[in-house]
Amino acid sequence: MFAFLILSASVTLESVVPRFGALLPRIYPAGLTGNLARVVVERTDWTDTQRYDIASSPERIVVRTASDKGAAYAAARILRELGYRRFAPHPSWEILPENPPQNLTLNVSETPDYRMRKIWYLYNLWPEFRKNDDHESWTFFTRQGGDEVRCGHA
């Protein structure tokens, strides 16, 4: 079982845990051991809500961030390190790792280079994608989003 331990009552991960938690049993059908079985999320007072730090030790992984958004990006980074890929918002474009590690060695501090990241794929989308669209989940796993920008064509 993969667990996020919330160290601050003001941190809510409701938007992160369902997607992340639902995927891990598919990656690890026999269950988790090692430091991946214990991921701790600590809230910071950083002003950058997209920043996250991930530090691993043999016993656990610590994710430090100021927001749910940062926690989502950290969760997506962890999944990528495990070998998970999601190339498009359709089940046929999902790649589960064949031999994921039980322990993850990762020590990173990341802030996105672009404040807003989005791939707009809906124009001329072929029919099988329209029927099985899983856009929200895909944007989570590909770390899209960021600061919201509303603009139109010039």
Side-chain angles (χ1 to χ4, degrees):
M1 182 77 183
F2 197 91
F4 273 106
L5 301 176
I6 301 172
L7 299 183
S8 169
S10 62
V11 176
T12 61
L13 296 173
E14 295 168 358
S15 64
V16 177
V17 174
R19 288 185 203 107
F20 194 56
L23 185 61
L24 287 168
R26 294 178 53 217
I27 294 174
Y28 294 98
L32 277 167
T33 61
N35 67 358
L36 284 164
R38 183 171 164 84
V39 175
V40 179
V41 177
E42 296 178 352
R43 185 175 176 108
T44 68
D45 60 355
W46 299 332
T47 57
D48 188 341
T49 61
Q50 297 186 55
R51 176 182 170 187
Y52 63 85
D53 290 355
I54 303 172
S56 62
S57 70
E59 299 82 30
R60 66 183 183 165
I61 296 173
V62 177
V63 174
R64 298 184 71 232
T65 186
S67 71
D68 292 351
K69 189 184 296 185
Y73 298 148
R77 171 65 188 261
I78 290 170
L79 289 169
R80 182 167 182 77
E81 292 294 323
L82 297 178
Y84 179 80
R85 300 294 185 271
R86 186 79 182 264
F87 294 108
H90 188 273
S92 62
W93 288 86
E94 178 182 59
I95 309 295
L96 293 173
E98 290 184 20
N99 296 306
Q102 287 291 337
N103 284 294
L104 188 63
T105 302
L106 186 61
N107 294 293
V108 296
S109 178
E110 291 188 339
T111 300
D113 291 330
Y114 297 93
R115 300 302 306 167
M116 196 278 181
R117 299 162 308 284
K118 184 174 183 178
I119 299 171
W120 187 53
Y121 67 93
L122 295 173
Y123 184 72
N124 286 335
L125 191 64
W126 49 98
E128 63 268 20
F129 276 82
R130 288 191 191 111
K131 287 186 272 184
N132 296 303
D133 184 29
D134 188 12
H135 185 264
E136 184 179 333
S137 183
W138 178 62
T139 58
F140 164 76
F141 290 117
T142 55
R143 294 190 289 175
Q144 294 184 53
D147 297 333
E148 188 169 336
V149 175
R150 294 190 180 267
C151 61
H153 296 280

PDB file of all heavy atoms in Angstrom, residues 35 52 54-57 61-62 74 77-78 81 104-108:
ATOM      1  N   ASN A  35      11.323   1.947   0.401  1.00  0.00           N
ATOM      2  CA  ASN A  35      10.966   3.326   0.731  1.00  0.00           C
ATOM      3  C   ASN A  35       9.737   3.823  -0.011  1.00  0.00           C
ATOM      4  O   ASN A  35       9.113   4.807   0.382  1.00  0.00           O
ATOM      5  CB  ASN A  35      12.151   4.269   0.544  1.00  0.00           C
ATOM      6  CG  ASN A  35      12.593   4.440  -0.897  1.00  0.00           C
ATOM      7  OD1 ASN A  35      12.054   3.834  -1.819  1.00  0.00           O
ATOM      8  ND2 ASN A  35      13.610   5.253  -1.083  1.00  0.00           N
ATOM      9  N   TYR A  52       8.610  21.791  -5.894  1.00  0.00           N
ATOM     10  CA  TYR A  52       8.630  20.642  -4.999  1.00  0.00           C
ATOM     11  C   TYR A  52      10.055  20.142  -4.838  1.00  0.00           C
ATOM     12  O   TYR A  52      10.901  20.328  -5.706  1.00  0.00           O
ATOM     13  CB  TYR A  52       7.723  19.512  -5.495  1.00  0.00           C
ATOM     14  CG  TYR A  52       8.127  18.926  -6.827  1.00  0.00           C
ATOM     15  CD1 TYR A  52       9.079  17.911  -6.914  1.00  0.00           C
ATOM     16  CD2 TYR A  52       7.559  19.382  -8.000  1.00  0.00           C
ATOM     17  CE1 TYR A  52       9.450  17.376  -8.134  1.00  0.00           C
ATOM     18  CE2 TYR A  52       7.915  18.851  -9.226  1.00  0.00           C
ATOM     19  CZ  TYR A  52       8.859  17.849  -9.280  1.00  0.00           C
ATOM     20  OH  TYR A  52       9.227  17.327 -10.496  1.00  0.00           O
ATOM     21  N   ILE A  54      11.993  16.469  -3.617  1.00  0.00           N
ATOM     22  CA  ILE A  54      11.833  15.058  -3.290  1.00  0.00           C
ATOM     23  C   ILE A  54      13.181  14.569  -2.772  1.00  0.00           C
ATOM     24  O   ILE A  54      14.198  14.729  -3.451  1.00  0.00           O
ATOM     25  CB  ILE A  54      11.420  14.212  -4.507  1.00  0.00           C
ATOM     26  CG1 ILE A  54      10.128  14.739  -5.131  1.00  0.00           C
ATOM     27  CG2 ILE A  54      11.281  12.743  -4.118  1.00  0.00           C
ATOM     28  CD1 ILE A  54       9.763  14.074  -6.446  1.00  0.00           C
ATOM     29  N   ALA A  55      13.172  14.017  -1.582  1.00  0.00           N
ATOM     30  CA  ALA A  55      14.391  13.475  -0.982  1.00  0.00           C
ATOM     31  C   ALA A  55      14.111  12.051  -0.517  1.00  0.00           C
ATOM     32  O   ALA A  55      13.142  11.807   0.200  1.00  0.00           O
ATOM     33  CB  ALA A  55      14.841  14.341   0.193  1.00  0.00           C
ATOM     34  N   SER A  56      14.959  11.137  -0.937  1.00  0.00           N
ATOM     35  CA  SER A  56      14.749   9.738  -0.559  1.00  0.00           C
ATOM     36  C   SER A  56      15.818   9.285   0.422  1.00  0.00           C
ATOM     37  O   SER A  56      16.931   9.792   0.448  1.00  0.00           O
ATOM     38  CB  SER A  56      14.767   8.849  -1.803  1.00  0.00           C
ATOM     39  OG  SER A  56      16.021   8.916  -2.440  1.00  0.00           O
ATOM     40  N   SER A  57      15.424   8.350   1.243  1.00  0.00           N
ATOM     41  CA  SER A  57      16.330   7.652   2.145  1.00  0.00           C
ATOM     42  C   SER A  57      15.930   6.182   2.080  1.00  0.00           C
ATOM     43  O   SER A  57      14.902   5.848   1.487  1.00  0.00           O
ATOM     44  CB  SER A  57      16.192   8.200   3.572  1.00  0.00           C
ATOM     45  OG  SER A  57      14.950   7.823   4.130  1.00  0.00           O
ATOM     46  N   ILE A  61      10.424   8.358   1.512  1.00  0.00           N
ATOM     47  CA  ILE A  61      10.597   9.447   0.553  1.00  0.00           C
ATOM     48  C   ILE A  61       9.853  10.647   1.121  1.00  0.00           C
ATOM     49  O   ILE A  61       8.704  10.528   1.542  1.00  0.00           O
ATOM     50  CB  ILE A  61      10.032   9.069  -0.828  1.00  0.00           C
ATOM     51  CG1 ILE A  61      10.816   7.893  -1.412  1.00  0.00           C
ATOM     52  CG2 ILE A  61      10.075  10.260  -1.776  1.00  0.00           C
ATOM     53  CD1 ILE A  61      10.236   7.337  -2.687  1.00  0.00           C
ATOM     54  N   VAL A  62      10.522  11.786   1.133  1.00  0.00           N
ATOM     55  CA  VAL A  62       9.914  13.010   1.643  1.00  0.00           C
ATOM     56  C   VAL A  62       9.681  13.961   0.475  1.00  0.00           C
ATOM     57  O   VAL A  62      10.604  14.276  -0.266  1.00  0.00           O
ATOM     58  CB  VAL A  62      10.805  13.694   2.706  1.00  0.00           C
ATOM     59  CG1 VAL A  62      10.172  14.999   3.174  1.00  0.00           C
ATOM     60  CG2 VAL A  62      11.049  12.761   3.879  1.00  0.00           C
ATOM     61  N   ALA A  74       5.036  16.498  -7.999  1.00  0.00           N
ATOM     62  CA  ALA A  74       5.988  15.568  -7.382  1.00  0.00           C
ATOM     63  C   ALA A  74       5.533  14.125  -7.573  1.00  0.00           C
ATOM     64  O   ALA A  74       6.345  13.243  -7.879  1.00  0.00           O
ATOM     65  CB  ALA A  74       6.141  15.893  -5.900  1.00  0.00           C
ATOM     66  N   ARG A  77       6.292  13.095 -11.016  1.00  0.00           N
ATOM     67  CA  ARG A  77       7.735  12.861 -11.176  1.00  0.00           C
ATOM     68  C   ARG A  77       8.118  11.492 -10.631  1.00  0.00           C
ATOM     69  O   ARG A  77       8.909  10.759 -11.235  1.00  0.00           O
ATOM     70  CB  ARG A  77       8.522  13.967 -10.476  1.00  0.00           C
ATOM     71  CG  ARG A  77      10.018  13.732 -10.375  1.00  0.00           C
ATOM     72  CD  ARG A  77      10.689  13.714 -11.756  1.00  0.00           C
ATOM     73  NE  ARG A  77      12.080  13.302 -11.678  1.00  0.00           N
ATOM     74  CZ  ARG A  77      13.104  14.145 -11.677  1.00  0.00           C
ATOM     75  NH1 ARG A  77      12.910  15.439 -11.744  1.00  0.00           N
ATOM     76  NH2 ARG A  77      14.332  13.685 -11.619  1.00  0.00           N
ATOM     77  N   ILE A  78       7.574  11.131  -9.480  1.00  0.00           N
ATOM     78  CA  ILE A  78       7.859   9.816  -8.904  1.00  0.00           C
ATOM     79  C   ILE A  78       7.393   8.717  -9.860  1.00  0.00           C
ATOM     80  O   ILE A  78       8.116   7.757 -10.115  1.00  0.00           O
ATOM     81  CB  ILE A  78       7.214   9.672  -7.514  1.00  0.00           C
ATOM     82  CG1 ILE A  78       7.933  10.584  -6.509  1.00  0.00           C
ATOM     83  CG2 ILE A  78       7.253   8.223  -7.037  1.00  0.00           C
ATOM     84  CD1 ILE A  78       7.238  10.702  -5.172  1.00  0.00           C
ATOM     85  N   GLU A  81       9.777   8.359 -12.675  1.00  0.00           N
ATOM     86  CA  GLU A  81      10.997   7.673 -12.243  1.00  0.00           C
ATOM     87  C   GLU A  81      10.786   6.166 -12.145  1.00  0.00           C
ATOM     88  O   GLU A  81      11.709   5.386 -12.339  1.00  0.00           O
ATOM     89  CB  GLU A  81      11.470   8.219 -10.897  1.00  0.00           C
ATOM     90  CG  GLU A  81      11.973   9.644 -10.945  1.00  0.00           C
ATOM     91  CD  GLU A  81      13.244   9.798 -11.767  1.00  0.00           C
ATOM     92  OE1 GLU A  81      14.118   8.898 -11.732  1.00  0.00           O
ATOM     93  OE2 GLU A  81      13.371  10.823 -12.462  1.00  0.00           O
ATOM     94  N   LEU A 104      13.349   3.787  -4.382  1.00  0.00           N
ATOM     95  CA  LEU A 104      13.618   4.871  -5.315  1.00  0.00           C
ATOM     96  C   LEU A 104      14.679   5.775  -4.716  1.00  0.00           C
ATOM     97  O   LEU A 104      14.553   6.217  -3.570  1.00  0.00           O
ATOM     98  CB  LEU A 104      12.333   5.664  -5.577  1.00  0.00           C
ATOM     99  CG  LEU A 104      12.381   6.714  -6.671  1.00  0.00           C
ATOM    100  CD1 LEU A 104      12.660   6.069  -8.021  1.00  0.00           C
ATOM    101  CD2 LEU A 104      11.062   7.469  -6.726  1.00  0.00           C
ATOM    102  N   THR A 105      15.733   6.016  -5.478  1.00  0.00           N
ATOM    103  CA  THR A 105      16.774   6.951  -5.068  1.00  0.00           C
ATOM    104  C   THR A 105      16.570   8.219  -5.879  1.00  0.00           C
ATOM    105  O   THR A 105      16.807   8.233  -7.084  1.00  0.00           O
ATOM    106  CB  THR A 105      18.173   6.372  -5.316  1.00  0.00           C
ATOM    107  OG1 THR A 105      18.284   5.144  -4.611  1.00  0.00           O
ATOM    108  CG2 THR A 105      19.246   7.338  -4.848  1.00  0.00           C
ATOM    109  N   LEU A 106      16.089   9.247  -5.210  1.00  0.00           N
ATOM    110  CA  LEU A 106      15.752  10.478  -5.914  1.00  0.00           C
ATOM    111  C   LEU A 106      15.928  11.654  -4.963  1.00  0.00           C
ATOM    112  O   LEU A 106      15.357  11.668  -3.876  1.00  0.00           O
ATOM    113  CB  LEU A 106      14.303  10.402  -6.401  1.00  0.00           C
ATOM    114  CG  LEU A 106      13.779  11.525  -7.277  1.00  0.00           C
ATOM    115  CD1 LEU A 106      14.585  11.613  -8.574  1.00  0.00           C
ATOM    116  CD2 LEU A 106      12.326  11.301  -7.592  1.00  0.00           C
ATOM    117  N   ASN A 107      16.722  12.604  -5.364  1.00  0.00           N
ATOM    118  CA  ASN A 107      16.912  13.829  -4.593  1.00  0.00           C
ATOM    119  C   ASN A 107      16.903  14.987  -5.569  1.00  0.00           C
ATOM    120  O   ASN A 107      17.894  15.268  -6.234  1.00  0.00           O
ATOM    121  CB  ASN A 107      18.232  13.768  -3.808  1.00  0.00           C
ATOM    122  CG  ASN A 107      18.182  12.696  -2.740  1.00  0.00           C
ATOM    123  OD1 ASN A 107      17.427  12.812  -1.788  1.00  0.00           O
ATOM    124  ND2 ASN A 107      18.952  11.638  -2.905  1.00  0.00           N
ATOM    125  N   VAL A 108      15.734  15.625  -5.688  1.00  0.00           N
ATOM    126  CA  VAL A 108      15.567  16.703  -6.657  1.00  0.00           C
ATOM    127  C   VAL A 108      14.836  17.884  -6.023  1.00  0.00           C
ATOM    128  O   VAL A 108      14.084  17.738  -5.073  1.00  0.00           O
ATOM    129  CB  VAL A 108      14.785  16.247  -7.911  1.00  0.00           C
ATOM    130  CG1 VAL A 108      15.531  15.183  -8.672  1.00  0.00           C
ATOM    131  CG2 VAL A 108      13.401  15.781  -7.550  1.00  0.00           C
TER     132      VAL A 108
END
